[in-house]
């Protein structure tokens, strides 16, 4: 990959990459850090990659970097914040907030594959490459995530 192709990749995919990471970590600063780390990793591999594989490599690297950040944060998260998040119940009249709350209740892998499929528009094979899962596992996780979201969204407490 040439430097011009690298710059083109940054221009084309930075927004989508940032949106995907931000949906998962819900912290703008951490999302920016993860995207920056991803582009640093891409820059270090710029001579080894072809421009046709750059998008897949970036999302894979971003996904793995995000997992590392999440694991690191879980080790050091204060118990009060965890309890507050677990036991807080507020009325969510806004659909966007309701959807985000439903997404946050999904297991991490289900949330990630669902966002990659429905929000970013990747096919099953590409999601498998990004997450390291095989295609059938991706389909199962997406199915389970959609069922969980449906159950959450149609429950009476979330409709009112």
């Amino acid at each position: 990959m040439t430097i011009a192709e690298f710059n083109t990749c940054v221009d084309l995919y930075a927004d989508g990459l940032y949106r995907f990471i931000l949906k998962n970590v819900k912290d703008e600063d951490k999302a920016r850090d993860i995207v920056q780390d991803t582009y640093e990793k891409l820059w270090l591999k710029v001579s080894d990659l072809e421009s046709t594989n750059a998008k897949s490599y970036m999302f894979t690297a971003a996904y793995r970097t995000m997992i590392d950040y999440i694991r690191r944060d879980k080790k050091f998260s204060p118990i009060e914040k965890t309890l507050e998040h677990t036991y807080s119940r507020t009325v969510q009249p806004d659909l966007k907030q309701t959807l985000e709350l439903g997404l946050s209740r999904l297991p991490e892998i289900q949330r990630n594959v669902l966002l990659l499929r429905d929000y970013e528009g990747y096919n099953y094979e590409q999601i498998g490459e990004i997450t390291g899962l095989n295609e059938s596992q991706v389909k199962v996780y997406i199915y389970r995530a959609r069922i969980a979201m449906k159950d959450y969204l149609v429950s009476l407490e979330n409709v009112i």
Side-chain angles (χ1 to χ4, degrees), residues 2-13:
T2 65
I3 294 174
E5 291 171 332
F6 174 82
N7 290 332
T8 302
C9 285
V10 171
D11 292 339
L12 290 176
Y13 307 125

Side-chain angles (χ1 to χ4, degrees), residues 4 7 9 13 20-21 29 32 34 37-38 46-47 66-67 87 103 149 156:
N7 290 332
C9 285
Y13 307 125
F20 170 67
I21 298 300
D29 292 331
R32 286 188 195 111
I34 292 169
D37 288 349
T38 301
V46 75
S47 61
M66 176 187 68
I67 296 299
Y87 294 110
L103 282 171
M149 286 296 291
L156 187 58

